[in-house]
Amino acid sequence: MNALLRVGREATDLAWRNLLHLRRTPTALMGSLVEPVMFAVLIGYVFGNSLGGAVYRAYMVAGLLAQTVTFSTAVTALGLAKDLQDGTVDRFRALPISRVALLLGRTTSDLATCIASVLVTSLCGLALGWRPHSGVLHILAGYTLVTVFAFAMSWVGAFIGVVAPNVQVAASLGLVWMFPASFVSSGYVSTASLPGPLAPVAAWSPITALSNALREQFGTPVPPDFARPHGWPVDHPVPYLLLWSAGLIAVFMALATSRYRRKARA
């Protein structure tokens, strides 16, 4: 228990250090805050009128939230890769700090950044005409699911940041999978409308699970022209999302910590 408390204190201190650094360089946060606005305008108004108008714009907000969380992995990957590249982590290695605490501090501070992006995305949704049609408890449950999945995805970003040899490679590794993962899902379309093998891939995607879980919690209607897919992940999005989140945290926390320890010994 004492070891866990020590790791928690160290992670909190390191998370605070990252947030202070972000406060001194607010431009580093601009991309995360501007990106949701850009996609809201682009998809909501450029494509939205041909896909169902106001009903579609309300439908796509869940996908926009899921995409915002997915893209937040790049913040963790870039931040950790930068710390490794500029020697910040080398200074921490000389201190009696837990290896897990350093990574946990990064993922925790980036979770705060992601929450700010989710807030901006929600405001964009309200501007698009989206409104939750469920009670307060369901709305809180929806944002809790967003936070849990964001924390899980931050560990994916931590692994990318530790594996990448420099910041440029971390940026490439972070972007190469995020766009297809975000769009091959129910974020913006019905998975039943996707051709060939893309339909089952999208149906079992964690981003689909988050999008469907948010629509369920917020009471968001589905456009009448959208075909409804069937299957266990579609019918049970919340437990499926929680399974995905637990699996991502367990696997990528272990991988990122193991890789970081090897780098520290080297």
Side-chain angles (χ1 to χ4, degrees):
M1 181 61 71
N2 289 334
L4 291 176
L5 290 175
R6 182 174 67 86
V7 170
R9 287 195 299 268
E10 292 171 353
T12 301
D13 291 339
L14 291 168
W16 183 243
R17 169 256 174 194
N18 294 333
L19 291 174
L20 288 176
H21 181 73
L22 188 63
R23 189 180 68 178
R24 297 189 184 102
T25 55
T27 53
L29 189 60
M30 290 303 295
S32 299
L33 299 181
V34 172
E35 193 174 81
V37 179
M38 179 183 69
F39 277 105
V41 173
L42 178 65
I43 299 175
Y45 287 107
V46 175
F47 302 112
N49 285 337
S50 61
L51 293 173
V55 176
Y56 176 77
R57 281 190 283 273
Y59 173 86
M60 61 161 275
V61 170
L64 198 61
L65 288 166
Q67 179 178 290
T68 298
V69 171
T70 304
F71 278 32
S72 69
T73 59
V75 176
T76 304
L78 292 174
L80 190 54
K82 183 177 184 299
D83 284 345
L84 287 165
Q85 182 173 300
D86 64 15
T88 301
V89 174
D90 291 333
R91 293 193 291 273
F92 288 143
R93 288 173 185 165
L95 301 174
I97 297 176
S98 167
R99 308 303 186 201
V100 177
L102 190 143
L103 299 177
L104 186 59
R106 168 57 61 182
T107 55
T108 303
S109 62
D110 291 341
L111 181 61
T113 303
C114 182
I115 289 172
S117 299
V118 167
L119 176 61
V120 171
T121 305
S122 299
L123 293 175
C124 289
L126 293 173
L128 289 172
W130 165 76
R131 298 291 185 274
H133 298 288
S134 57
V136 174
L137 291 180
H138 284 286
I139 295 172
L140 291 176
Y143 282 108
T144 300
L145 292 172
V146 169
T147 304
V148 170
F149 189 66
F151 184 66
M153 293 302 292
S154 70
W155 281 102
V156 178
F159 175 69
I160 294 172
V162 173
V163 170
N166 53 55
V167 175
Q168 290 76 17
V169 174
S172 299
L173 290 175
L175 289 174
V176 73
W177 62 273
M178 286 191 298
F179 276 99
S182 297
F183 286 97
V184 182
S185 70
S186 69
Y188 299 111
V189 297
S190 169
T191 56
S193 67
L194 295 174
L198 291 181
V201 169
W204 290 87
S205 166
I207 299 171
T208 292
L210 178 57
S211 301
N212 291 343
L214 291 178
R215 292 182 185 115
E216 182 180 276
Q217 296 301 316
F218 296 150
T220 303
V222 177
D225 294 336
F226 275 33
R228 176 172 172 78
H230 297 283
W232 190 86
V234 176
D235 297 332
H236 305 85
V238 172
Y240 184 57
L241 176 65
L242 293 176
L243 286 173
W244 257 110
S245 299
L248 289 173
I249 292 171
V251 170
F252 283 97
M253 180 184 288
L255 290 175
T257 304
S258 175
R259 182 71 178 186
Y260 175 73
R261 283 174 175 164
R262 287 202 296 271
K263 276 197 171 186
R265 286 195 295 268

